Amino acid sequence: MLRHSFSHKGIPFPAEIYDPETIDFVGNHFQVLDDDTFTVTYPKSGTNWMMEILSLIWQQGDPSWCRSVPIWDRSPWLESPNALEKLKSAKPPRRISSHLPIQLFPKSFWGSKAKVIYTVRNPKDLLVSLYHFSKLMSFLEEPESLEELLGAFLQGEVLYGSWFDHVKGWLGLRGRENFFCISYEELQEDLRGSVGRICRFLGKDLSDAALASVVQNASFQAMRDNPMANFSLMPDNILDKSKGSFLRKGVVGDWKNHFTVAQSERFGRAYRERMQDLAGTFPWD
Ligand code: PPS
């Protein structure tokens, strides 16, 4: 839940870090280039994990770039005013991250060959991640309980709006050559195999040693130990490190430690109703 927000075309954004002019500019005027690669996610789905994996793939497994440049500079945030300035003058090929729902994505994407990697995560785990994240971030209001956040989440009254609409919107691109969807759970289940699939999508050919290095350096522990990836560089007035870590637990199924049976059933009913068109698509279905 947001402390101060504005709504752009029905989607809530935190007013402390975004502004309506930039969101509007991105949708209507940002020029997507054919060799751009976008990491797109709904918040707390594994965005930074994918950003780290891609950084390592682009460097053929060499971790030096990941260890010397903050993750947000390696793949700037499309809808953030500061990053947008950097992107306007960035040399191609550009690596760009975004949480935007498809309807707010740059219009110029549609005629381009730019690639999108969309990472999805079990929404119950994502909700637990968001719950803990809300305690750290100054622009999020700490919910009184998971129950309160669950209600807001099911109503789409959280940052970036409805998870259901976000996922259904982006998954409408399945089958396109320039769109690749992978789940957090697949990354957890088989990181090496997943990195291989991502490489094939990107047209990158990595040696076995390079692949092994990607897997090793993108592990939860390696990212936790890397100041360029673990958010320790984020100012305290934005992320209160005394309250927890950005890289919190990094597991599948933590929802079982947080949801009551009644909450799980309530979530399940909403999920079945809203996601029936995509039934059986995801590892958690
Ligand atoms: S954000 O704020 O939306 O950009 O957050 P996002 O990066 O999408 O998601 C944060 C969660 O991803 C977990 N994470 C990882 N899990 C496993 N392995 C690696 N390497 C990894 N890196 C990040 C992170 O811990 C958050 O999940 P939770 O469940 O809170 O631990």
Side-chain angles (χ1 to χ4, degrees):
M1 288 158 341
L2 298 162
R3 274 189 205 288
H4 304 289
S5 65
F6 64 89
S7 169
H8 187 80
K9 299 193 175 163
I11 303 296
F13 290 92
E16 290 88 342
I17 51 172
Y18 299 125
D19 63 65
E21 295 74 26
T22 304
I23 305 290
D24 185 65
F25 174 87
V26 165
N28 291 311
H29 306 293
F30 181 78
Q31 198 51 52
V32 171
L33 305 176
D34 281 341
D35 49 9
D36 286 342
T37 303
F38 291 89
T39 296
V40 182
T41 52
Y42 186 85
K44 311 319 290 177
S45 300
T47 326
N48 287 275
W49 194 5
M50 184 53 71
M51 285 156 80
E52 196 77 348
I53 290 168
L54 294 178
S55 294
L56 289 157
I57 291 176
W58 285 311
Q59 299 298 306
Q60 300 283 326
D62 179 350
S64 338
W65 193 41
C66 290
R67 291 182 188 161
S68 54
V69 177
I71 193 160
W72 46 79
D73 284 340
R74 285 184 259 126
S75 183
W77 208 257
L78 178 62
E79 59 269 28
S80 131
N82 298 341
L84 196 52
E85 281 313 308
K86 287 181 207 162
L87 277 172
K88 280 187 205 159
S89 56
K91 281 203 200 104
R94 303 179 301 183
R95 311 25 166 113
I96 307 173
S97 305
S98 178
H99 284 320
L100 285 177
I102 196 161
Q103 69 275 19
L104 299 184
F105 210 60
K107 289 195 172 88
S108 58
F109 168 70
W110 297 104
S112 81
K113 293 183 182 144
K115 292 182 173 169
V116 167
I117 297 180
Y118 187 69
T119 310
V120 279
R121 184 179 191 186
N122 183 337
K124 288 177 170 174
D125 279 337
L126 174 164
L127 186 65
V128 169
S129 183
L130 180 60
Y131 176 66
H132 290 284
F133 186 62
S134 303
K135 300 177 187 179
L136 313 183
M137 304 307 285
S138 60
F139 57 85
L140 295 177
E141 195 166 2
E142 186 176 343
E144 275 181 18
S145 59
L146 186 72
E147 179 80 17
E148 191 189 12
L149 184 61
L150 175 58
F153 184 84
L154 294 179
Q155 294 298 322
E157 290 166 0
V158 287
L159 71 169
Y160 289 93
S162 159
W163 177 86
F164 303 97
D165 293 346
H166 201 284
V167 171
K168 285 193 284 186
W170 278 105
L171 262 64
L173 298 195
R174 278 188 307 173
R176 281 178 175 243
E177 232 174 77
N178 61 342
F179 180 78
F180 181 82
C181 178
I182 192 161
S183 65
Y184 181 95
E185 290 70 20
E186 286 168 284
L187 295 173
Q188 287 277 10
E189 171 82 24
D190 178 11
L191 186 52
R192 193 185 170 104
S194 300
V195 171
R197 288 170 57 210
I198 297 166
C199 286
R200 279 194 288 285
F201 171 68
L202 295 174
K204 299 273 178 208
D205 195 13
L206 263 59
S207 67
D208 283 352
L211 268 178
S213 177
V214 175
V215 170
Q216 188 192 331
N217 288 290
S219 72
F220 184 74
Q221 198 53 50
M223 284 184 66
R224 248 192 157 188
D225 293 342
N226 178 3
M228 299 295 148
N230 65 13
F231 279 62
S232 55
L233 296 179
M234 187 68 79
D236 278 330
N237 62 344
I238 300 182
L239 189 156
D240 186 346
K241 284 149 223 132
S242 69
K243 294 194 175 150
S245 307
F246 179 85
L247 279 107
R248 185 186 62 91
K249 216 166 181 184
V251 297
V252 170
D254 196 30
W255 68 268
K256 293 177 192 147
N257 300 316
H258 290 77
F259 277 57
T260 63
V261 172
Q263 285 167 342
S264 180
E265 285 175 359
R266 180 179 173 200
F267 197 98
R269 277 193 301 277
Y271 183 88
R272 281 189 296 280
E273 195 182 300
R274 304 286 303 273
M275 300 302 281
Q276 49 186 316
D277 299 350
L278 289 172
T281 302
F282 306 109
W284 58 84
D285 280 335

